[in-house]
Amino acid sequence: MSSNLEYRAWRVHERNGEYVGGVETCGIEDLPDNDVLVRVSHSSLNYKDALSASGNKGVTRSFPHTPGIDAAGEVVEEGPANNPARGHQVIVTGYDLGMNTPGGFGEYIRVPENWCVPMPAAWDPRHAMIYGTAGLTAGLCVKKLLTMGAKPEQGKVAVTGASGSVGSVAVELLSHLGFDVVAISGKDELAGELKGLGAHEVRGRDALSVEKRPLLRPEYAAAVDTVGGGALTELLKRIQPGGSVACCGLVAGTDLPTTVLPFILRGVNLLGVDSVEISREEKQDIWSRLSGPWACRHTEASARSIGKGDLDEALKAFLEGRSHGKIVLDHAL
Ligand code: NDP
């Protein structure tokens, strides 16, 4: 029934080593041979989308390609298990979506059944995409810290890359749960916004400036690190005995030059967080928390919507570290 349907997508082409994105018309029949066809109404912007759109071969191997690691919309063709059923709204994040499978920057996706998570009752697709993979990741980081026993009375909790998509949700969520949040950000001009999200204090990136010593005065009971590299190295030196750092990102680099001393002298825990390949039950658990007791009202109120024609500029801002807050792609704009 859908074989001749056409739709619009923001696709990236490789031309003489340059990667150029633009809106074009595509055919449903060109989507991969997966079971569930979803009419996507909204997507969400992530750093990984910017990597895909700029030709990072670790994310996307071949072009032309439709990025978008997040999608929300309605099932129009169901799979063999009828789970999700036609007419139901779903959230699809991670797995291979937007990497080498056409993603949410197109108005349709075709994906395996087990990539689809039912939309929480309190949400519509835009609401879900305000959070997207970034919100999911922030939720997973916070859940890991709580599982390791983090409690507000233990002391300050740092969030690096605090103005970014993951960082800003982590700031609000931790504050909402009663933690004393120190937002570490390179954007002085956003200090007011970060305080509005609930940060008790905002420090510049020099709060994690390079020190030769392998251990420093313990300042933070726990941390969410979204940047990796040297910032994570320095953060580990400043964590209180028994504290934990949930680590999810790499914008400051993939190398982690550290010593074993924070781990063996202070019992610090480094917790890896992956939002991509985890089960849909794990994703569903975080979505149900974020759509209920963990709702981040400031993030919801301050999210910006853009149309496909604005993607080029918005993705460049990610690569240049200029992006901040949550950005939703609305296919109706
Ligand atoms: P954003 O670009 O929105 O945020 C990253 C923030 O990091 C920036 O806003 C900036 O914040 C800070 N930053 C940028 N460049 C540097 C730098 N060179 N050194 C230190 N800080 C820097 O990205 P996202 O929030 O979407 O993603 C953050 C990271 O998390 C990415 O590496 C992404 O790939 C990863 N990620 C991982 C997931 C997983 O499953 N493990 C899922 C989602 C994201 P400020 O100016 O406030 O310092």
Side-chain angles (χ1 to χ4, degrees):
M1 79 91 179
S2 56
S3 59
N4 296 324
L5 198 63
E6 290 188 330
Y7 68 96
R8 308 281 282 164
W10 191 83
R11 296 234 296 167
V12 177
H13 291 259
E14 182 174 5
R15 293 195 187 109
N16 304 322
E18 301 276 297
Y19 294 86
V20 183
V23 182
E24 55 190 80
T25 301
C26 305
I28 293 283
E29 71 275 15
D30 296 329
L31 287 171
D33 187 21
N34 292 315
D35 288 325
V36 181
L37 182 66
V38 179
R39 188 188 303 117
V40 178
S41 61
H42 296 79
S43 180
S44 176
L45 270 64
N46 292 278
Y47 185 76
K48 203 174 188 179
D49 299 319
L51 292 178
S52 169
S54 58
N56 184 307
K57 292 287 162 73
V59 178
T60 300
R61 287 187 300 275
S62 66
F63 293 84
H65 171 65
T66 307
I69 63 168
D70 290 341
E74 183 184 329
V75 174
V76 291
E77 276 179 27
E78 61 198 11
N82 302 336
N83 177 22
R86 189 148 48 96
H88 284 218
Q89 293 191 324
V90 290
I91 308 173
V92 186
T93 64
Y95 306 116
D96 192 49
L97 189 72
M99 293 181 67
N100 294 291
T101 300
F105 293 178
E107 292 166 353
Y108 282 84
I109 55 172
R110 201 186 267 286
V111 294
E113 273 185 325
N114 63 1
W115 290 13
C116 300
V117 180
M119 183 71 63
W123 278 358
D124 59 18
R126 180 176 188 274
H127 224 120
M129 291 293 97
I130 289 173
Y131 291 93
T133 286
L136 174 66
T137 305
L140 287 164
C141 288
V142 170
K143 185 180 169 188
K144 273 214 169 163
L145 293 181
L146 297 176
T147 305
M148 291 304 291
K151 292 193 176 57
E153 58 270 24
Q154 292 163 346
K156 298 178 195 298
V157 177
V159 177
T160 61
S163 74
S165 311
V166 179
S168 57
V169 179
V171 167
E172 183 169 0
L173 179 52
L174 285 162
S175 161
H176 177 62
L177 295 175
F179 288 90
D180 181 351
V181 180
V182 177
I184 298 178
S185 172
K187 302 187 187 81
D188 294 347
E189 69 281 11
L190 293 181
E193 278 190 38
L194 288 166
K195 287 194 170 166
L197 291 175
H200 190 247
E201 196 182 332
V202 181
R203 297 182 180 171
R205 290 186 198 162
D206 56 1
L208 297 175
S209 58
V210 180
E211 301 275 351
K212 278 198 178 137
R213 283 177 295 153
L215 289 174
L216 298 166
R217 183 173 62 81
E219 287 183 79
Y220 308 111
V224 171
D225 175 61
T226 75
V227 305
L232 178 54
T233 302
E234 295 303 319
L235 192 55
L236 288 167
K237 297 176 184 177
R238 294 162 165 89
I239 300 294
Q240 290 173 14
S244 300
V245 178
C247 142
C248 67
L250 47 63
V251 288
T254 52
D255 286 349
L256 182 59
T258 184
T259 70
V260 295
L261 298 185
F263 310 110
I264 67 172
L265 295 183
R266 290 185 176 164
V268 168
N269 307 296
L270 181 56
L271 314 172
V273 172
D274 166 42
S275 68
V276 178
E277 293 294 339
I278 56 173
S279 69
R280 70 170 164 180
E281 288 72 26
E282 284 176 87
K283 293 181 182 181
Q284 200 165 357
D285 173 51
I286 301 295
W287 294 136
S288 69
R289 292 174 195 236
L290 290 170
S291 63
W294 285 10
C296 295
R297 299 294 179 209
H298 291 285
T299 298
E300 293 176 10
S302 61
R304 289 164 286 148
S305 291
I306 63 168
K308 291 189 269 299
D310 306 314
L311 277 169
D312 207 31
E313 174 50 33
L315 291 170
K316 276 195 188 113
F318 272 88
L319 291 179
E320 292 165 8
R322 289 187 286 111
S323 191
H324 61 91
K326 298 296 295 118
I327 306 173
V328 175
L329 171 66
D330 183 341
H331 282 299
L333 293 180

